[in-house]
Amino acid sequence: MTQPPYPPFPPDAASQPVMPGCWWHPNRPTGLRCTRCERPACPDCLREASVGSQCIDCVQAGRQQDRTHQVQYRRAGYGARTLVGARPVQTPVVTPLLIAVNVIVYVLTAYQSGDPMNNQRSEIYQYGSLQSLAVSGLDEWWRLLTSGFLHAGIIHVAVNMFSLWILGRDLEPVLGRVRFLALYLLSLLGGSVAVFYLENPILPTVGASGAIYGLLGALLVAVLRLKLNAGGVLLTIGLNIVITFTIPNLSLWGHLGGLAAGALVMGLLVYAPDKGKAGWQTGMLLAVLVALAGLVFFRDAQLGEALCGVYEGQIYCAA
């Protein structure tokens, strides 16, 4: 009688190769390794890579190396650039900051006057509004700038800040933060200089409209530079000019001065030579600032000839 063969003896466990433990979890035997540093790693400590899998330490080191290379790449002047040579900005920062400053100044004037609809009686409003004779006769040059952050009533500030947000969120990513701020301030000064020259020298002028019209002018130049349809921008500018003519107490020259200054600044930015673009842009914008300052001093000399004197805080002139 034949018997079935005995089953083979189980292999001796001591003769089997022992798998190494995971570098991070030594109690977990693993046959896997990181393709970069070749250290043993369990599945929980590995991440898929373009070739094989890498351990968590190598993944973090690779990310840090990539970030370092990106910073060096940008500092060397490479990378994505907009039509003015700026690095693209994903989230506007200057625009909401300007809105916050305007709103805070308005709240302060409303608090001082005790009436949000008639904040013109506040001290900040009185000492910050643009009065040409006060600029020339009392050397209160700050009015050329501070007037652009003052508003007469809640409707005035609300309309201007809404317009600033609509235009700023489109232009700031294209221009970058520094260029956008330069455009805004030079447009504001351009409107103030136009008022200083052409508006009634006694009546006060306030509002960010000059700067906002400057953003409109800049948007038009950018659209034309990109060879896009400029019909919508031209229609918007035309409607705003019509509104300026039809609604009383709006500063026509402040609006037109800001529009011209904004278009000029944007033209200098987009048509600057590619070689050394940032240097060219800086120099040309400084030249615009110097030109505006020269116009202010020339107008100051004209008003000085007509100025008779100051009596009890009131400035009188003889035309």
Side-chain angles (χ1 to χ4, degrees), residues 156-196:
H156 190 198
V157 68
V159 171
N160 277 350
M161 293 306 100
F162 177 75
S163 302
L164 175 56
W165 171 249
I166 295 298
L167 294 169
R169 68 179 183 181
D170 291 334
L171 283 173
E172 185 176 347
V174 175
L175 295 175
R177 298 187 177 103
V178 176
R179 291 175 178 83
F180 177 77
L181 182 60
L183 168 66
Y184 185 90
L185 294 177
L186 288 175
S187 299
L188 189 157
L189 289 175
S192 296
V193 171
V195 171
F196 191 46

Side-chain angles (χ1 to χ4, degrees), residues 5 26 30-31 39 61 80-81 97 108-109 118 136 158 174 202 207 218-219 236 246 263 272 279 286:
T30 179
R39 289 181 295 184
R81 297 281 178 165
L97 181 60
L108 291 175
T109 58
N118 296 288
S136 181
V174 175
I202 299 177
L219 182 61
T236 302
T246 55
L286 287 176

